[in-house]
Amino acid sequence: MSKDYVIGIDLGGTKIYTAVVDLEGNIISEETVATNAAEGEQAVLNRILGTVETVLKNVDISNVKAIGIGSPGPLDVKNGIIVNSANLPFKNFNIVQPLKEKYKLPTFLDNDANVATLGEFMFGAGKGTENMVFVTASTGIGGGAVLNGKLYRGNTANALEIGHMTVMVDGPRCGCGNAGCAEALGSGTAIMKRGRDAASSNANTTLKNYSEVTSKEVFEEAAKGDRVSKEIVNTALSYLGIAVANIVNIFDPEKVVVGGGVTNAGQIVFDKIQEEVDNRCLKAISENCVIEKAVLGGKAGVLGAAALAIMEIK
Amino acid sequence: MSKDYVIGIDLGGTKIYTAVVDLEGNIISEETVATNAAEGEQAVLNRILGTVETVLKNVDISNVKAIGIGSPGPLDVKNGIIVNSANLPFKNFNIVQPLKEKYKLPTFLDNDANVATLGEFMFGAGKGTENMVFVTASTGIGGGAVLNGKLYRGNTANALEIGHMTVMVDGPRCGCGNAGCAEALGSGTAIMKRGRDAASSNANTTLKNYSEVTSKEVFEEAAKGDRVSKEIVNTALSYLGIAVANIVNIFDPEKVVVGGGVTNAGQIVFDKIQEEVDNRCLKAISENCVIEKAVLGGKAGVLGAAALAIMEIK
């Protein structure tokens, strides 16, 4: 029996993770290489092409139907261009063209968040839903949405800037320039900042035992019972929960899938989110909406890129 | 040349407004009658059927392709049922069935906000867009969205509960039970409440000249220069603007169409909304998004119901 495959390429600042994936999300062959962005545009492009060669070694190319690429943005998705990216050497670089030319396959590009959204939708926690929002909480807060069964990109392909929703009018300044963004209050960065402030303050906190506090230490000390760390974690997770609650009231989704580094702190994250959703959402909506942890983890990017390829050729 | 028509029925607590509408949104014939909800289910149903008879008088029924009904909710849209409605006599009442039976036409039901959204999208300020959000600010704050060219309803058909987005964590209590909802801060009701509070306080305000302050008086006194009224209006419109800004960051729409009683206060409403959008949205999104006043006014319901019918049979 012949089987259809796609290629997923997870292009990141640290590594390139490429795989041949079947339509059920099983990885058939894979390769991960360091990006080494400092070596420049052509070197990184060659490295990407090299991973594709490798993963295709034992696969009949005639079974491969499309290529999907996930990349940090901003991107010009329509034209397959990486406009700019802090951790990649590409500037206004058409990343789709060389792959298309070499393999004569339909090739698609989308950003990290959209690709992870599609991955969870097609192969992960969002499987079987029609309306799903993906929220990622790590250094920032971002997301994506599948609505009526299709990825929703918005007018300029920047939809789902969940982290820049105002949830506290005169709140702390966010990197985007606005005040009181969810990201400035509920992200891993917000937890780190508040942890460092506490460590260098007069407060009685075990955070003082660390030379450099990150969100990880704040979560750990909170779990061990440090009152100050607990307060920081609870407050930040409340804001993350408020952001999710707002998303639930706006999208009326079947499921919100939450991923990203912050969810490594475990059940407390989901308890807090659920609490805010229960308190703040219309019952008709929240009683029919499930908040769930993302399941793809480190494979979100590569499986998401494969999901993008599958979605686009369907 | 034969021409296709649809019937739009705007079912409200005060009046029933029914029209034959062509595919460009021109009203061919129309009738408005009082709802007289107190007379009960059967009487109101008969009155609806009567308006349809009237508007069809000079129209060839073979040119009529579908019927759309807009109604206050909650509804069971899929099954054509009005579950409940504060100002209508219908309880778990199938409003679609009797029309379908009598006219043998595909007949569709949706709520006020969705219908108004479709009306503005198809015939009004949102014409020509693919991604448009409609925000209505009157006693409450609500809305609807057309995404990728289609009405987005969500999982339980309750999407776009814009008014119940939390924008101030420990803000005033909202009718929904939550605290700090946009509706509790930026709606006509919020303006009225703050105006009444001011009128009965020690504040020096011309609002004291009224026996019963509504949002209209607050807007009027603000325009005349009353400092207290101005502060109330500015604060409320800021919150409405924040709600719109959040919507812009989340949906990345081409256009946000704003309607409802609050917009009768004129340009100040749009200036304030634009100010918050400029301050709070990512530039890539807001620079490509237009905030515009709804144009259908009192015809939003009937033309929206017609638009629903057109959209569903397309």
Side-chain angles (χ1 to χ4, degrees):
Chain A
M1 196 187 84
S2 100
K3 212 174 162 178
D4 287 346
Y5 300 126
V6 295
I7 294 170
I9 304 173
D10 176 12
L11 180 54
T14 313
K15 58 186 175 56
I16 300 160
Y17 181 2
T18 300
V20 172
V21 179
D22 72 14
L23 303 192
E24 283 74 50
N26 302 302
I27 291 178
I28 305 304
S29 64
E30 57 182 317
E31 186 180 45
T32 304
V33 300
T35 308
N36 288 334
E39 292 178 14
E41 201 167 276
Q42 195 56 46
V44 176
L45 175 62
N46 288 341
R47 214 164 285 131
I48 295 169
L49 293 169
T51 61
V52 177
E53 279 302 290
T54 306
V55 298
L56 281 176
K57 255 178 205 153
N58 301 307
V59 173
D60 182 351
I61 180 97
S62 71
N63 290 339
V64 179
K65 301 304 173 191
I67 302 174
I69 312 166
S71 166
L75 311 172
D76 172 355
V77 167
K78 227 180 194 166
N79 296 303
I81 291 166
I82 300 176
V83 175
N84 203 330
S85 175
N87 303 310
L88 289 172
F90 303 117
K91 299 266 173 284
N92 291 310
F93 188 84
N94 192 319
I95 189 79
V96 158
Q97 202 50 42
L99 284 153
K100 229 179 188 165
E101 266 167 24
K102 184 159 183 197
Y103 295 103
K104 315 288 177 213
L105 287 171
T107 303
F108 308 96
L109 173 72
D110 216 320
N111 66 51
D112 291 346
N114 280 346
V115 153
T117 303
L118 282 175
E120 290 292 338
F121 170 71
M122 211 173 272
F123 307 127
K127 216 169 154 177
T129 63
E130 270 287 295
N131 298 308
M132 177 206 105
V133 182
F134 175 68
V135 176
T136 172
S138 52
T139 53
I141 295 177
V146 173
L147 307 177
N148 296 331
K150 290 182 71 172
L151 181 68
Y152 177 69
R153 292 192 173 95
N155 180 35
T156 69
N158 283 302
L160 276 295
E161 283 289 358
I162 296 170
H164 300 294
M165 206 168 11
T166 302
V167 294
M168 185 202 263
V169 188
D170 298 311
R173 192 61 54 184
C174 178
C176 77
N178 181 24
C181 288
E183 182 164 306
L185 291 153
S187 65
T189 307
I191 293 172
M192 179 192 78
K193 275 190 187 164
R194 289 207 58 207
R196 289 182 180 186
D197 286 351
S200 63
S201 75
N202 292 324
N204 179 15
T205 167
T206 50
L207 290 173
K208 289 184 191 290
N209 302 336
Y210 298 92
S211 60
E212 201 170 63
V213 171
T214 71
S215 62
K216 187 169 161 280
E217 284 78 44
V218 184
F219 275 117
E220 282 172 4
E221 293 308 309
K224 285 189 217 155
D226 179 50
R227 200 188 48 78
V228 170
S229 298
K230 268 168 104 167
E231 199 276 324
I232 293 173
V233 164
N234 278 334
T235 304
L237 293 180
S238 275
Y239 283 105
L240 176 60
I242 291 171
V244 172
N246 284 354
I247 285 299
V248 169
N249 269 335
I250 288 168
F251 284 102
D252 181 11
E254 284 164 85
K255 204 172 265 190
V256 178
V257 177
V258 187
V262 169
T263 61
N264 293 335
Q267 193 52 37
I268 184 180
V269 178
F270 291 85
D271 289 347
K272 263 291 176 191
I273 292 175
Q274 193 65 55
E275 186 185 322
E276 294 296 340
V277 167
D278 290 346
N279 285 341
R280 296 183 181 273
C281 293
L282 299 195
K283 293 287 158 283
I285 298 177
S286 59
E287 283 171 358
N288 294 288
C289 177
V290 181
I291 315 293
E292 226 169 272
K293 193 173 194 292
V295 298
L296 299 184
K299 296 195 188 307
V302 72
L303 289 178
L308 171 70
I310 294 169
M311 164 131 330
E312 291 287 356
I313 57 170
K314 248 190 195 164
Chain B
M1 196 187 83
S2 98
K3 212 172 164 182
D4 287 346
Y5 299 126
V6 295
I7 294 170
I9 304 174
D10 176 11
L11 180 55
T14 312
K15 57 187 176 56
I16 300 159
Y17 181 3
T18 300
V20 172
V21 178
D22 72 13
L23 303 192
E24 283 74 48
N26 301 301
I27 291 178
I28 305 304
S29 65
E30 57 182 317
E31 187 179 43
T32 304
V33 300
T35 308
N36 288 333
E39 291 177 17
E41 201 167 275
Q42 196 55 47
V44 176
L45 175 62
N46 288 341
R47 214 163 288 130
I48 295 169
L49 294 169
T51 61
V52 177
E53 279 303 290
T54 306
V55 298
L56 282 176
K57 255 181 204 150
N58 300 307
V59 173
D60 183 350
I61 180 99
S62 71
N63 291 338
V64 179
K65 302 303 173 192
I67 301 175
I69 312 167
S71 165
L75 313 172
D76 172 355
V77 166
K78 227 181 196 165
N79 297 305
I81 291 167
I82 300 177
V83 175
N84 203 331
S85 175
N87 303 308
L88 289 172
F90 303 117
K91 300 265 172 284
N92 291 312
F93 188 85
N94 192 320
I95 189 78
V96 158
Q97 204 50 44
L99 284 153
K100 228 178 189 167
E101 265 168 23
K102 185 161 181 196
Y103 295 103
K104 316 287 177 213
L105 287 171
T107 302
F108 308 96
L109 172 71
D110 215 320
N111 66 50
D112 291 346
N114 279 346
V115 154
T117 303
L118 282 175
E120 291 290 339
F121 171 70
M122 211 175 271
F123 306 127
K127 217 170 151 177
T129 63
E130 271 287 296
N131 298 307
M132 178 205 103
V133 181
F134 175 67
V135 176
T136 173
S138 51
T139 51
I141 295 177
V146 173
L147 306 177
N148 295 331
K150 291 183 72 171
L151 181 67
Y152 177 69
R153 292 190 172 98
N155 180 35
T156 69
N158 283 303
L160 275 296
E161 283 289 358
I162 296 171
H164 301 293
M165 206 167 13
T166 301
V167 293
M168 184 202 263
V169 189
D170 297 311
R173 192 60 53 185
C174 178
C176 77
N178 181 24
C181 288
E183 183 165 306
L185 290 152
S187 66
T189 306
I191 294 171
M192 179 193 78
K193 275 191 186 164
R194 290 207 55 205
R196 288 183 180 185
D197 286 349
S200 64
S201 75
N202 292 324
N204 179 14
T205 168
T206 50
L207 290 172
K208 289 184 190 292
N209 301 334
Y210 298 91
S211 59
E212 202 169 61
V213 171
T214 71
S215 61
K216 188 169 161 280
E217 285 77 44
V218 184
F219 275 116
E220 282 171 5
E221 293 308 309
K224 285 189 217 154
D226 178 50
R227 200 187 48 78
V228 170
S229 300
K230 269 168 103 167
E231 198 276 323
I232 293 173
V233 164
N234 278 335
T235 304
L237 293 180
S238 274
Y239 283 106
L240 176 60
I242 290 171
V244 172
N246 283 354
I247 285 299
V248 169
N249 269 336
I250 288 168
F251 285 102
D252 181 11
E254 284 164 84
K255 205 173 264 190
V256 178
V257 178
V258 187
V262 169
T263 62
N264 294 336
Q267 193 52 39
I268 184 180
V269 179
F270 291 86
D271 289 347
K272 265 291 178 192
I273 292 174
Q274 192 66 56
E275 186 184 321
E276 295 295 341
V277 167
D278 290 346
N279 286 340
R280 294 183 183 274
C281 292
L282 298 195
K283 293 288 157 283
I285 299 177
S286 60
E287 283 172 359
N288 293 289
C289 177
V290 181
I291 315 294
E292 227 170 270
K293 193 174 194 293
V295 298
L296 300 183
K299 295 193 189 307
V302 72
L303 289 179
L308 171 69
I310 295 168
M311 165 132 330
E312 290 287 357
I313 58 170
K314 250 190 195 165

